[in-house]
Amino acid sequence: MPPFFSCLQPETGVQPPLAGRYPYHDNDQCPDGQAVKQAGQWQYYEPTTVAETRARCPRCVELDPTHRRTA
């Protein structure tokens, strides 16, 4: 299953600015990602340009088994 992100938008329907973009989720165990999916306001993340890229959810990063913590 591809990653996804929240697609909640202001009532104006205008896309939020780049800095206000929601992070994407790619770990099924992430509570933030689960909440986004339960709300039903999300879409799959499939960027085609650099301008469409988003940050990865920090909780998804922490849940990644390949993530290495530094002391």
Side-chain angles (χ1 to χ4, degrees), residues 1-69:
M1 181 182 300
F4 65 94
F5 65 93
S6 176
C7 62
L8 290 174
Q9 308 252 330
E11 289 184 10
T12 61
V14 175
Q15 183 78 13
L18 182 60
R21 289 185 175 201
Y22 297 99
Y24 74 88
H25 302 275
D26 61 356
N27 189 305
D28 289 338
Q29 302 303 313
C30 176
D32 295 338
Q34 290 174 3
V36 169
K37 277 200 168 181
Q38 287 174 357
Q41 296 285 334
W42 60 278
Q43 66 184 40
Y44 284 121
Y45 175 64
E46 297 179 12
T48 57
T49 66
V50 172
E52 293 175 351
T53 59
R54 296 168 183 266
R56 187 177 181 206
C57 165
R59 292 182 90 170
C60 287
V61 172
E62 286 292 324
L63 291 167
D64 190 335
T66 62
H67 176 74
R68 293 188 180 134
R69 293 178 185 229

